Structures are given as structure tokens and as C-alpha cells.
Amino acid sequence: MRKHGKFRWSKIIFFVLVWAVIIVYVLPILWIVTTSFKTDAEAYALPIKWIDFEWTAVNYRNVFQKGSMIHNFWNSIFVAVISSLVSLLIGVPAAYALSRYKMKRGELISNWILSTRMAPPILCAVPYYILSKSVGVYDTKGLLILMRVLLILSWVVWMMRSFFDDLPIEIDESCLI
């Protein structure tokens, strides 16, 4: 009898916890979506109206007609693709060299690369800002690509090194033949 009672309570607690998590994660998304269909006055009105408001698509029309969202979207895609390609072009050969060639301080270099991931990126924001202003490349796509490459290059090297470590050396030897 007790097992049945404990089982029922654990099921109820699990059910309540799952719904609590769903509410915590879904409620902000629902709020954002419903607010995007409200007028400015309704968006800032208190108490919040979840369903009973005048639905309008004016905000979406303004974004696509007046704003430069499409241009900004393509800029983001361009920067993401170029910085990923550059990071892969630099990081994959570096990871391969660290994985396959036994160097005097190879592990030290690998650990240093990993340690660069431990510092928060915001730590470098002010020095990079001052340097880019003094060089004259502030607010350019090239600088943004360079910053993204600097942020993700250590991750690429570390991940690809572990990938190459897992590959059998026989594959490299068979490619040489």
C-alpha cells in the first residue's frame, strides 16, 4: 500500500515540476510573441493583456519596410560564414599538428589554448575598442570578423584536436600510401 502511495506522490511531484519548467521557459516566449502583435500603448499597459487586445501586424510591417532588418540579417550571415571559414582554415591544421606531431611543448600549447577559453570575452572588449579606434578600423565588418575569429579559434583548435586524437593513426598512414 505504501509503495502505491509513494509512487502516486512522486508522479504528482514530477508532473508539477515538469509544468513549472514548461511555464518558466514558454511564458517569456509567449509574452514576446503576443507583445509583437500589440500596439505601443497595449504593449506597455498594465495589467498585461495576454489575449484580449487588438491584434495588429504593424510592428512587422515597420520592421520590414522602414527598418534595415534584411540588410542586418545578411550582414550577420556574412560575418558568421566568413569567420567560421577563417577559423576552420586556421584551426584545423593547427589541431592536426598538435594531435599528430609530437612536439616538445605540445601539451603546454594545448593547455594554453584551452585556458584562453576561460577568460570572459568582455574582458577584452575595452582594449580591443581602444586599439580599433586608434588603428581606424572601428565599426567595420573586417574587425567584427577578426573578433569572431579570435573568440572561436581556440574552441575550433581544441575540438578538432580531440577529433584527430580519436582517429586511428593508420588512416593517416594509408593516405600516405
Side-chain angles (χ1 to χ4, degrees):
M1 187 93 143
R2 279 187 165 186
K3 280 188 174 182
H4 184 68
K6 283 185 180 180
F7 179 73
R8 179 178 280 174
W9 275 108
S10 65
K11 242 181 167 177
I12 291 171
I13 291 171
F14 177 75
F15 182 76
V16 168
L17 288 175
V18 166
W19 274 105
V21 168
I22 288 172
I23 288 172
V24 165
Y25 284 103
V26 172
L27 193 63
I29 294 171
L30 181 65
W31 188 1
I32 290 170
V33 170
T34 57
T35 303
S36 71
F37 288 104
K38 295 177 182 179
T39 62
D40 287 343
E42 290 172 333
Y44 295 109
L46 287 175
I48 299 170
K49 294 180 181 178
W50 288 96
I51 297 172
D52 185 32
F53 59 89
E54 181 183 336
W55 291 77
T56 179
V58 171
N59 296 325
Y60 288 100
R61 189 181 70 225
N62 290 341
V63 164
F64 286 107
Q65 286 180 352
K66 296 178 184 175
S68 58
M69 183 177 165
I70 301 294
H71 176 71
N72 293 337
F73 176 75
W74 285 114
N75 279 345
S76 298
I77 295 293
F78 175 76
V79 168
V81 167
I82 297 300
S83 61
S84 297
L85 289 175
V86 170
S87 296
L88 286 172
L89 285 172
I90 296 169
V92 170
Y96 184 81
L98 286 171
S99 174
R100 294 295 192 224
Y101 301 116
K102 300 304 171 207
M103 293 178 256
K104 195 174 192 178
R105 292 193 168 85
E107 281 301 314
L108 182 68
I109 294 170
S110 295
N111 290 334
W112 176 77
I113 288 172
L114 180 64
S115 72
T116 61
R117 295 291 300 165
M118 294 178 191
I122 196 70
L123 188 68
C124 303
V126 172
Y128 285 153
Y129 171 76
I130 294 170
L131 184 64
S132 67
K133 278 292 232 189
S134 65
V135 173
V137 293
Y138 177 71
D139 202 20
T140 61
K141 286 183 195 173
L143 178 67
L144 185 57
I145 290 170
L146 178 66
M147 292 297 108
R148 293 295 307 151
V149 167
L150 291 175
L151 284 174
I152 62 177
L153 187 59
S154 60
W155 183 82
V156 169
V157 171
W158 191 256
M159 293 301 290
M160 292 307 296
R161 180 180 178 258
S162 64
F163 171 76
F164 288 130
D165 284 343
D166 290 341
L167 284 179
I169 194 79
E170 290 82 15
I171 293 177
D172 290 350
E173 293 169 351
S174 66
C175 288
L176 289 174
I177 296 174

